[in-house]
Amino acid sequence: MMRLFLVGVGLLTLSMTGCKSKTSTNEGGLRVFITYATFRPQCLTLAVEDRREPTRRESGVVTVNPEARSDTRVGVILKQAGWSPDLRVIAEAHEGSCEGPVIARQSAEVQFPEENLTDLKLDLRAEDLDDDGFFAMKGDYPGTDCDDARPDVHPGATEVCDGVDNNCVEGESDAPGNVQYWVDVDGDGYGDASAAPQTGCAAPVGFATRAGDCDDEDILVHPGQSEFRCDGRDDNCDGTPDNDAFNVGASCVTAQRCAGTRQCQSAEVADCVSALVPVEYFADDDGDGQAGTSLGLSCQQPEPGATTERNDCDEGTVLVSFVGTSEVCDRLDNDCAGGVDDGLPSCAAVSWHERTVLNDPSARFDAVANYQAERGWLAGRSGRVVHVAGNTFTAATNCAGDWRSAWAAPNGRVFLGSSDGRFATSMPGELNTACETRSSGQPGSINGLVGFPDPESNVFTVYGVSSAGHVVSWSYDHGASGSQPDPTIVTRFAANLRDIHGLSAEALVVVGAETVNGEQHPVAWSSPQTGTTWTREALGLPETTTGYLNAVQVLTPHLLYVAGDHGLLLEKSRGTWSQKPVLTVSGGTVPNLRDILAFGRTGIYAASSEVKDLHFFNGVAWSTVATPSETVNALGGFGPGEVWATGHDGLLTRWKP
């Protein structure tokens, strides 16, 4: 069945049977046969114009069979009221859609018949040899297919870099793989920034697909790298020479806090250079109002309170400074005049006074704790606890235990640590009553004690360390009438701990040794200022160092000393550990240091186990200040002018000017 289009008052579509149909009257009409071959028109139109009045025009779309490459379509044109008989009939085929380009056209000028149908034939020809729906670009009505022999080449096809204009648009310039390239003389992969680029799907030999080379004759100079020479040249072509790692010309501050600019020091190095002259600053670490710890050279105050005046020669004690101190007999250079005790006649005559406590040569004392001038406690094996007031010695009558450590509160109350993990406490006026004891909750020997009074109450909190690695605490209310709370375990380390000290509960240091491959190695931890994690101290010792750290004393927030086996004396000053000269005695013996008593950087006493000597370190060298008759186990005192030493066979020797 054919579909015919009739042009009348309106554009109508009629269905007719056969190809030679007649209207219902004998009125005239034009029957148009539109023939096409070798292509599939996406849109076929039929139009009629009044040649005498071209504004009179009617057109319609002719339905086609999309499967047929050759066909004939029929349309009938009826008389239009008011039109002249002089007509022009036009048939057109379009590519793509009715809005697409015309790819075939034929027209004819005819006289409209008064009666009966007159046949008119219009023949359309166009080429779509590859049957891709796009027509060859040739003839009077060219299509858009730039290669009508390839069905994969036509407008809208995907452009690729294959040497073919796949989508018939500007060759391969719009291919996704299309690149620009520049001449690359030095072969560093970057093209000359000053050269005009070329375009193609691939860069030929001697060209690069990256531009920006500011020196195309030096293979080392190109973008995409850091400056590698400090020489005033732009190595990475970013427009600025010697930037990146060198940052030449940038404002900076030297290590000595002096404002300056970065400048080349060599082809490899740039540094901050300042015309300002730094000066030395000093800090007051011991809190006596006078500064003596060097903070190095600086153009700015390195920390609050730092001063350029040095008026203290020992920042480990408030008893020494250039200002406001007089020389006394204490083995310190109190006035920083360069001489210890300045030859005071009263000092030269002072000697150590030795005695056997309570005439008990079987006693062994392992701890001493002072709380006032000439007052303190001795504690040791087999329940021996003795209060000392000048030359008066009073024994506690019921304080059973092997006591290894002691600490005395300012009011005279003593706290003890035993070999079986117990705490005990007593007062000078309670020596005839039993010591109050508490288990620490762990079985190890409590080897060291330190305590802190609460300034707003009668509570004293003591901290101890054990041979099993525990840190334990006991808070004791001196004014309470009822029972006291039990001690608590603060933390535990995989170590044998020997001593503990600090200026507050938030600034404790514990020392001892840990076992590694069957050997003991020195170790220390510091307490956390916040949280619960203790810090393992990096002592700076060789990994092969063996033995125990036996004693620790903290002098200021910035200074502490640690002593141990093999004559070891370590100093931690402002966060940095350093080793002091190893103690060596006559015959080349290097003894183990059992205890230390430090009164500053220039006044440190030590007791050793191999010899009976009492040793003194003045900040530079060791010397012997006394040789007691018995072995010394512990040191104490109420300042550098009052030193106690106690040990085997009831020994107590004191240096009191």
Side-chain angles (χ1 to χ4, degrees):
M1 183 189 302
M2 296 291 191
R3 296 192 60 82
L4 303 182
F5 294 84
L6 304 183
V7 180
V9 177
L11 186 63
L12 304 176
T13 303
L14 301 177
S15 296
M16 301 186 67
T17 302
C19 295
K20 295 184 180 181
S21 299
K22 294 184 180 180
T23 61
S24 60
T25 67
N26 202 30
E27 294 180 357
L30 288 175
R31 183 166 53 190
V32 182
F33 293 86
I34 307 169
T35 302
Y36 61 88
T38 71
F39 70 94
R40 306 175 200 272
Q42 278 78 41
C43 175
L44 190 62
T45 61
L46 179 63
V48 59
E49 295 177 352
D50 188 338
R51 288 188 292 147
R52 298 182 186 180
E53 182 55 60
T55 58
R56 295 173 181 156
R57 191 177 195 276
E58 294 289 346
S59 64
V61 177
V62 179
T63 303
V64 297
N65 181 359
E67 301 300 325
R69 286 176 55 84
S70 298
D71 201 355
T72 299
R73 303 277 95 183
V74 179
V76 174
I77 301 173
L78 301 179
K79 184 176 182 179
Q80 295 279 5
W83 284 44
S84 76
D86 298 325
L87 303 179
R88 179 179 291 109
V89 180
I90 308 158
E92 292 181 337
H94 296 258
E95 181 184 81
S97 69
C98 291
E99 287 73 36
V102 175
I103 45 86
R105 186 176 191 274
Q106 189 175 23
S107 64
E109 295 179 354
V110 297
Q111 288 286 320
F112 192 85
E114 290 295 332
E115 59 182 26
N116 298 324
L117 291 175
T118 298
D119 291 339
L120 175 64
K121 293 183 179 181
L122 297 177
D123 189 28
L124 300 179
R125 290 292 180 265
E127 284 191 9
D128 181 14
L129 301 180
D130 53 16
D131 198 21
D132 59 3
F134 296 88
F135 295 81
M137 300 172 63
K138 64 182 181 178
D140 294 335
Y141 300 99
T144 60
D145 196 337
C146 56
D147 188 345
D148 200 37
R150 293 183 54 164
D152 59 334
V153 176
H154 54 75
T158 300
E159 190 66 55
V160 295
C161 280
D162 59 357
V164 176
D165 183 7
N166 306 92
N167 62 3
C168 301
V169 177
E170 298 181 1
E172 291 186 299
S173 62
D174 59 338
N178 189 53
V179 295
Q180 285 186 312
Y181 48 85
W182 292 260
V183 62
D184 180 15
V185 174
D186 56 18
D188 60 7
Y190 290 86
D192 189 346
S194 64
Q198 301 180 45
T199 304
C201 280
V205 176
F207 289 79
T209 57
R210 296 176 292 187
D213 197 335
C214 54
D215 186 350
D216 204 30
E217 295 182 355
D218 188 341
I219 193 172
L220 299 178
V221 175
H222 54 74
Q225 63 181 352
S226 297
E227 293 282 313
F228 61 88
R229 293 177 297 205
C230 199
D231 58 359
R233 298 177 61 190
D234 185 8
D235 300 324
N236 60 5
C237 301
D238 64 355
T240 304
D242 299 333
N243 55 355
D244 297 330
F246 301 113
N247 279 334
V248 169
S251 298
C252 59
V253 177
T254 68
Q256 296 172 331
R257 303 171 66 88
C258 302
T261 57
R262 291 187 61 82
Q263 300 177 22
C264 292
Q265 303 300 298
S266 67
E268 292 78 27
V269 176
D271 202 359
C272 189
V273 178
S274 175
L276 301 177
V277 178
V279 296
E280 189 172 11
Y281 277 85
F282 301 91
D284 176 19
D285 283 347
D286 57 19
D288 61 2
Q290 311 300 326
T293 297
S294 177
L295 301 177
L297 298 175
S298 179
C299 289
Q300 303 175 36
Q301 188 182 50
E303 64 181 47
T307 177
T308 57
E309 292 186 40
R310 179 178 182 267
N311 41 34
D312 197 335
C313 59
D314 188 341
E315 278 297 332
T317 173
V318 299
L319 302 176
V320 172
S321 72
F322 285 100
V323 182
T325 56
S326 299
E327 198 68 24
V328 296
C329 185
D330 59 2
R331 292 196 178 92
L332 300 177
D333 183 11
N334 305 96
D335 58 7
C336 293
V340 174
D341 299 337
D342 288 349
L344 293 173
S346 59
C347 189
V350 173
S351 61
W352 289 79
H353 301 283
E354 181 179 320
R355 63 181 299 162
T356 300
V357 176
L358 298 177
N359 296 315
D360 184 2
S362 65
R364 169 174 170 168
F365 295 111
D366 290 316
V368 56
N370 298 84
Y371 63 93
Q372 292 180 13
E374 301 188 27
R375 280 171 166 72
W377 296 82
L378 306 178
R381 309 292 172 92
S382 303
R384 288 181 171 84
V385 177
V386 177
H387 179 256
V388 181
N391 289 313
T392 300
F393 299 84
T394 307
T397 58
N398 190 358
C399 201
D402 287 335
W403 305 109
R404 300 299 175 87
S405 55
W407 176 80
N411 66 351
R413 176 171 292 279
V414 69
F415 292 87
L416 306 171
S418 76
S419 63
D420 58 359
R422 289 181 300 124
F423 284 117
T425 185
S426 185
M427 284 287 290
E430 302 173 356
L431 298 178
N432 291 325
T433 61
C435 289
E436 186 173 355
T437 62
R438 287 287 190 283
S439 171
S440 67
Q442 59 83 43
S445 171
I446 300 177
N447 296 320
L449 280 179
V450 66
F452 307 100
D454 184 343
E456 298 181 357
S457 69
N458 292 317
V459 175
F460 303 105
T461 301
V462 291
Y463 292 84
V465 292
S466 78
S467 57
H470 294 89
V471 179
V472 293
S473 69
W474 186 29
S475 291
Y476 186 92
D477 190 341
H478 176 72
S481 57
S483 62
Q484 300 288 340
D486 291 331
T488 60
I489 295 176
V490 177
T491 189
R492 185 182 184 184
F493 301 103
N496 185 331
L497 300 180
R498 294 297 181 88
D499 199 12
I500 181 172
H501 198 252
L503 301 179
S504 69
E506 293 74 31
L508 296 172
V509 178
V510 300
V511 299
E514 62 183 354
T515 302
V516 179
N517 296 327
E519 291 184 324
Q520 279 67 48
H521 294 267
V523 68
W525 285 273
S526 56
S527 63
Q529 294 183 349
T530 59
T532 59
T533 302
W534 290 59
T535 301
R536 183 188 179 103
E537 294 288 338
L539 302 174
L541 296 171
E543 293 184 0
T544 55
T545 303
T546 59
Y548 282 86
L549 296 180
N550 298 311
V552 55
Q553 187 167 356
V554 181
L555 296 181
T556 77
H558 298 290
L559 180 66
L560 67 88
Y561 288 93
V562 171
D565 292 348
H566 312 303
L568 186 65
L569 180 65
L570 300 177
E571 175 190 87
K572 184 182 182 183
S573 177
R574 287 188 158 260
T576 300
W577 286 93
S578 61
Q579 184 174 349
K580 298 302 177 181
V582 173
L583 172 62
T584 303
V585 297
S586 59
T589 300
V590 178
N592 296 329
L593 300 183
R594 296 173 59 89
D595 198 9
I596 58 170
L597 180 64
F599 296 109
R601 293 178 180 271
T602 59
I604 302 174
Y605 293 85
S608 62
S609 55
E610 284 75 9
V611 294
K612 299 175 181 179
D613 296 347
L614 290 178
H615 315 284
F616 184 78
F617 183 69
N618 65 2
V620 178
W622 289 96
S623 62
T624 299
V625 292
T627 303
S629 60
E630 306 296 340
T631 299
V632 174
N633 296 327
L635 299 173
F638 199 72
E642 182 182 343
V643 181
W644 296 19
T646 189
H648 287 54
D649 300 338
L651 171 71
L652 174 64
T653 181
R654 292 180 287 182
W655 185 66
K656 178 175 173 54

